Amino acid sequence: MANWGRALAGVMAVSLVVSVVVLNGPAPRAATPSGRNEVVFWHFWGGEDRLVVERLIARFNEAQSEYFVRGVAMPGNNFDLKVFLAVAGGNPPDLINHDDPIVGDWAARGVIQPLRAVATPAELETLRTDLVPAAQRLGDYQGEPFALCNGLDIRALYYNATLLRERGIQPPQTLTELDQLAETITPPSAERASRYGFLPDARRLWAWAPVFGGGFRTNDQGEAVVDTEENVRALEWMMSYRLRYGADNLAAFRQADQSLPGKTFPLLNDRYAVMMDGQWRIRDLRAAQASQRERNLPVIEYGVMPLPPPKNGLPNAGWVNGNIFVVPTGAKQPHGAWAFMRFWLGMGSFTDAAAQICEEGGWIPTLRSTQKSPRFLTYLKREPLFETFVQLAASDHQFPVPVVPGAAFWQREMERVGEQSLGASETRSAQTLLREAEERINAHLLRQRKALRS
Amino acid sequence: MNRHAWAAQTSATLLALLFLSPLVLQVVSSFKTRAELREGNQHFFPSRVSWENYREVASRTEFRQQFRNSLILCFGTVTGTLISSSLAAYGFARVRWRARKWLFGLLVATMLLPWQVTMIPRFLLLRQLGLYDSLAALILPAFLGDAFAIFLLTQFMRSLPEELSEAGRLDGLSEFGIYWHIVLPLCRPALLTVALFQFTTTWNDLGGPMLYLSSPEKFPLSYGLEQFTSSYADQTHLLLAATVLFGLPIVVLVVVMQRFFQSGFTAKPLM
């Protein structure tokens, strides 16, 4: 027993010394080159994209001699809290790249700086003319740019071109044609269908409302406007699929989508003929085709088209979100952060570098000049599916979640309305669902405003 | 074996298999190629067993570094918890002093507090101490005791016969001598249980490192797993292999220490 005690004491003593003395010292890291200012950059990128971002940072660090960007990938878990504590504690990063609708909340709370603090008036004017409208909408809070959008997420309809050709169906140009396609591939009488022609995504009323000429905005009093005639029609159209196929059938089918590993694209599993998704799915399609070629299987062809509008609807419309740069209040190297933002977006002489970034990541440039650069146009010729997304990104009919404090709540509420509209137990009309959502959102926005005033 | 025992064993086996199935699926899928995973769960087994995913994960310098950081964190917090909590428990269980019952109740009540409640003041305190972005920020608090560990050890120490301490006093041992030479060795099952709990808690913790650390080279393995996920394109094939490696130390530890783990809760020493 005494031996055991001595051994335990030894282990504890050694580990105490190791824990307190040795581990408190700095861990080895690549040193910032002398004479250069370190720019700490927190970002959300993971998976393959992180490797692209790391290469991009390395290229920036090689391209100039004033700053040295140190990228830190930060998972979403507790990220907002970490930023808030870092700002309050006086130790924020110099630049953050985020992909959530945080601009309104963070700007209203003084967590981030307006871009005029880092950019010259001439540079801001360049952004006004060169940024596509959707990117401007994502970064402006109360008419002032607080964030710089460095990538847009655009939704379009992917379709299985091989399947449509076999069935003698043309890609739909109007909403009526889309509905007809859905019924042709999967008749309403089908029980436990293994494939649907098309199903509206419950989360994407955000995308369909602008297609119907509606959308979500705030009025002059800062109140949410949700219950409009166009939005009601969009939601009624989504509900029509529940009535057509039965809510239980849809729920069972969608449940099976969830069993696919990771973020597998259901179009690849032949579960849909047409489905909505973003531009990042192109690399999944290309990888699947490469795998089919490798195994000497027939290669399935795919196409992309804008969301088809109804009569009197808006063409090239939809919901946009994206990746945004923000400079936290108290950043020690805000101008270094701005230099890196300019490099990423392709401002000034960096157009070609930015085109290369977008090509490697499969990202949509937010500057028109980068979109039209020879390098990017060459890429679009090689990847025609991407071209549709770039055209949509330039459209004036792409709308984000309104940039207000409480935007995340608003986004979730509309997704909830979509879920309710397709749910089996829902008996309320589309208008009632929207009106109730509007009340909840306005109550939340009011609480936000009161909290900010206090 | 009678019919009831047979039925109980069969039910238990089936239940165990049910609980084991996600783990089996995870291990089997970790050998699949990216293309196989992308095509969905059409086949349960991979077309061929390939260690490529594991090789790629293990070859990443950052993965090895994060593995090391996780071990350091676990080692430090287990040591800290064992020292501080056993001392505090001894005070509550074996030393008579005023207000000890009241303070023990207060300590137990702190177990009801969610971590988030103390997160911000703790962050500010550690930053003022200059420990922000150091592994010590996650290790040092363990040297200040853990309510659950103190509770568990106190209950265990209370069950030891008082005569043992009396005998120690007659032999001239100090209070610390009784703690060190008599009580602590008898508490081995409970200490190992506490160690196991602390190890798994620290090993799985992501919130703490995310809050107190900023330098990638100091992040633990729980953070490393997040690096395989993405809003756009997960590296699911690598993530599966990484999670198997991540879970391995815990599985080994639990299997090895299972006996002590059970007795830590149920044993009545010297009775």
Side-chain angles (χ1 to χ4, degrees):
Chain A
M1 202 170 277
N3 288 340
W4 181 82
R6 273 197 292 275
L8 185 68
V11 169
M12 284 179 168
V14 169
S15 60
L16 184 66
V17 171
V18 170
S19 302
V20 177
V21 181
V22 181
L23 303 184
N24 199 21
R29 59 157 35 175
T32 301
S34 64
R36 290 167 74 167
N37 297 312
E38 184 176 274
V39 177
V40 179
F41 170 45
W42 289 0
H43 63 81
F44 69 93
W45 298 95
E48 286 176 13
D49 295 312
R50 186 171 66 97
L51 306 177
V52 178
V53 170
E54 283 171 1
R55 285 200 298 273
L56 186 163
I57 292 171
R59 282 206 294 272
F60 173 80
N61 287 338
E62 281 168 18
Q64 49 77 61
S65 56
E66 196 176 353
Y67 301 106
F68 184 83
V69 170
R70 188 176 297 285
V72 184
M74 288 285 178
N77 198 338
N78 285 340
F79 183 50
D80 289 12
L81 180 69
K82 185 176 176 68
V83 171
F84 280 34
L85 287 174
V87 171
N91 195 21
D94 300 302
L95 182 64
I96 295 171
N97 200 201
H98 212 303
D99 65 343
D100 286 335
I102 46 89
V103 177
D105 285 286
W106 289 19
R109 284 169 173 76
V111 178
I112 53 176
Q113 310 180 38
L115 288 186
R116 69 180 143 79
V118 294
T120 64
E123 287 169 330
L124 288 176
E125 186 51 35
T126 303
L127 289 178
R128 279 277 164 224
T129 53
D130 205 7
L131 270 179
V132 296
Q136 290 195 24
R137 287 175 186 141
L138 275 160
D140 285 6
Y141 172 65
Q142 293 186 339
E144 170 153 28
F146 270 82
L148 185 56
C149 179
N150 63 308
L152 291 163
D153 291 346
I154 298 288
R155 273 83 187 167
L157 292 186
Y158 285 92
Y159 58 90
N160 183 329
T162 304
L163 176 70
L164 295 196
R165 199 168 44 244
E166 283 169 3
R167 297 289 190 96
I169 304 170
Q170 290 295 315
Q173 302 299 310
T174 66
L175 201 68
T176 310
E177 287 176 12
L178 178 63
D179 292 339
Q180 284 167 353
L181 176 149
E183 288 204 8
T184 308
I185 302 280
T186 316
S189 56
E191 280 292 325
R192 300 280 170 201
S194 60
R195 174 170 61 201
Y196 277 86
F198 171 78
L199 292 178
D201 186 334
R203 299 165 304 161
R204 296 292 178 249
L205 178 60
W206 281 105
W208 288 106
V211 175
F212 277 75
F216 306 99
R217 58 183 176 80
T218 50
N219 60 20
D220 294 341
Q221 287 76 46
E223 294 164 337
V225 180
V226 171
D227 176 15
T228 66
E229 191 185 324
E230 295 84 359
N231 292 350
V232 170
R233 281 200 287 123
L235 190 59
E236 281 174 345
W237 170 77
M238 286 173 66
M239 289 170 104
S240 72
Y241 276 79
R242 183 189 79 190
L243 302 174
R244 187 175 297 155
Y245 293 116
D248 291 338
N249 283 335
L250 295 189
F253 189 76
R254 286 246 156 81
Q255 186 64 33
D257 281 351
Q258 302 304 315
S259 69
L260 298 172
K263 294 184 173 76
T264 303
F265 191 18
L267 194 74
L268 293 174
N269 294 66
D270 204 22
R271 293 176 59 75
Y272 297 91
V274 178
M275 79 178 296
M276 184 199 292
D277 217 315
Q279 77 277 356
W280 53 91
R281 289 302 191 185
I282 293 175
R283 60 180 161 194
D284 291 350
L285 297 182
R286 296 307 183 211
Q289 288 172 328
S291 170
Q292 286 158 359
R293 278 190 207 97
E294 222 171 75
R295 291 181 292 160
N296 292 320
L297 295 171
V299 177
I300 297 169
E301 291 172 35
Y302 299 96
V304 178
M305 60 191 172
L307 307 186
K311 196 178 173 187
N312 301 325
L314 285 181
N316 296 329
W319 173 58
V320 63
N321 64 330
N323 316 314
I324 44 156
F325 282 123
V326 287
V327 181
T329 303
K332 293 173 188 69
Q333 294 294 334
H335 294 289
W338 176 244
F340 183 61
M341 284 189 259
R342 283 169 47 86
F343 180 81
W344 188 313
L345 262 79
M347 291 177 73
S349 58
F350 300 126
T351 306
D352 200 53
Q356 186 184 354
I357 291 162
C358 291
E359 185 182 333
E360 285 180 19
W363 303 328
I364 298 175
T366 53
L367 291 184
R368 290 188 177 93
S369 51
T370 307
Q371 289 182 359
K372 290 174 186 162
S373 70
R375 179 167 188 145
F376 196 70
L377 291 174
T378 309
Y379 167 63
L380 290 186
K381 274 186 192 153
R382 281 204 317 273
E383 187 47 274
L385 292 186
F386 208 76
E387 194 167 7
T388 306
F389 288 100
V390 176
Q391 285 167 358
L392 286 170
S395 162
D396 197 25
H397 298 156
Q398 295 286 330
F399 297 94
V401 175
V403 180
V404 292
F409 179 86
W410 193 338
Q411 181 175 352
R412 285 195 301 274
E413 274 302 310
M414 300 321 301
E415 289 171 357
R416 185 174 154 198
V417 165
E419 296 284 352
Q420 287 170 329
S421 72
L422 298 176
S425 58
E426 191 51 66
T427 54
R428 286 167 290 183
S429 69
Q431 183 159 29
T432 307
L433 287 173
L434 287 172
R435 193 181 60 241
E436 289 174 0
E438 187 177 276
E439 287 166 6
R440 286 194 299 272
I441 293 163
N442 277 324
H444 182 77
L445 296 188
L446 186 64
R447 278 197 299 275
Q448 294 288 311
R449 285 197 293 272
K450 279 183 181 168
L452 286 168
R453 276 200 296 271
S454 63
Chain B
M1 190 186 296
N2 65 35
R3 197 192 295 175
H4 289 298
W6 184 86
Q9 272 202 0
T10 308
S11 308
T13 307
L14 287 174
L15 207 60
L17 286 175
L18 187 71
F19 278 98
L20 206 61
S21 57
L23 199 65
V24 172
L25 182 66
Q26 182 191 353
V27 174
V28 169
S29 301
S30 70
F31 291 100
K32 288 182 176 177
T33 64
R34 177 174 216 163
E36 283 177 298
L37 284 167
R38 192 177 275 130
E39 283 159 18
N41 292 323
Q42 291 172 1
H43 305 286
F44 181 76
F45 290 105
S47 55
R48 65 184 177 87
V49 174
S50 162
W51 291 93
E52 195 50 43
N53 296 341
Y54 286 91
R55 262 195 292 272
E56 191 170 341
V57 167
S59 68
R60 292 190 177 190
T61 314
E62 61 204 20
F63 188 84
R64 293 199 300 271
Q65 194 176 43
Q66 288 156 357
F67 204 92
R68 190 200 66 186
N69 290 341
S70 281
L71 284 176
I72 289 170
L73 285 173
C74 288
F75 188 64
T77 55
V78 166
T79 306
T81 304
L82 289 180
I83 293 173
S84 59
S85 300
S86 63
L87 278 168
Y90 184 82
F92 282 122
R94 313 289 294 183
V95 183
R96 304 203 180 280
W97 45 284
R98 288 177 71 180
R100 70 170 176 155
K101 281 185 181 170
W102 186 83
L103 269 179
F104 185 70
L106 194 67
L107 177 93
V108 171
T110 64
M111 285 163 60
L112 302 173
L113 284 177
W115 177 74
Q116 287 83 350
V117 173
T118 56
M119 183 170 59
I120 294 173
R122 189 189 286 205
F123 173 86
L124 296 173
L125 181 69
L126 289 169
R127 196 181 58 82
Q128 282 184 337
L129 290 172
L131 296 176
Y132 178 65
D133 199 24
S134 77
L135 295 182
L138 294 158
I139 293 172
L140 280 183
F143 283 87
L144 302 175
D146 173 79
F148 174 71
I150 294 170
F151 172 75
L152 193 76
L153 289 170
T154 302
Q155 298 305 98
F156 200 90
M157 286 180 188
R158 275 179 182 163
S159 65
L160 297 174
E162 188 57 37
E163 289 80 2
L164 289 171
S165 299
E166 292 299 329
R169 283 190 193 96
L170 287 175
D171 284 347
L173 282 176
S174 64
E175 203 64 57
F176 184 79
I178 295 168
Y179 156 78
W180 187 252
H181 292 292
I182 298 175
V183 174
L184 211 55
L186 289 172
C187 288
R188 189 160 47 172
L191 288 170
L192 288 171
T193 304
V194 167
L196 185 64
F197 264 121
Q198 188 58 50
F199 189 95
T200 50
T201 303
T202 307
W203 188 260
N204 293 326
D205 185 26
L206 176 64
M210 273 295 297
L211 206 57
Y212 301 122
L213 302 177
S214 284
S215 301
E217 60 272 16
K218 293 175 190 169
F219 281 120
L221 203 52
S222 53
Y223 163 86
L225 293 183
E226 290 275 348
Q227 302 305 297
F228 296 105
T229 66
S230 161
S231 307
Y232 305 105
D234 283 348
Q235 292 174 304
T236 313
H237 57 306
L238 299 182
L239 180 64
L240 282 164
T243 46
V244 170
L245 292 175
F246 179 76
L248 212 55
I250 299 289
V251 172
V252 170
L253 209 61
V254 169
V255 169
V256 169
M257 294 176 69
Q258 195 174 23
R259 188 165 57 90
F260 299 110
F261 187 64
Q262 286 167 348
S263 61
F265 279 110
T266 57
K268 296 281 182 198
L270 306 180
M271 281 187 168

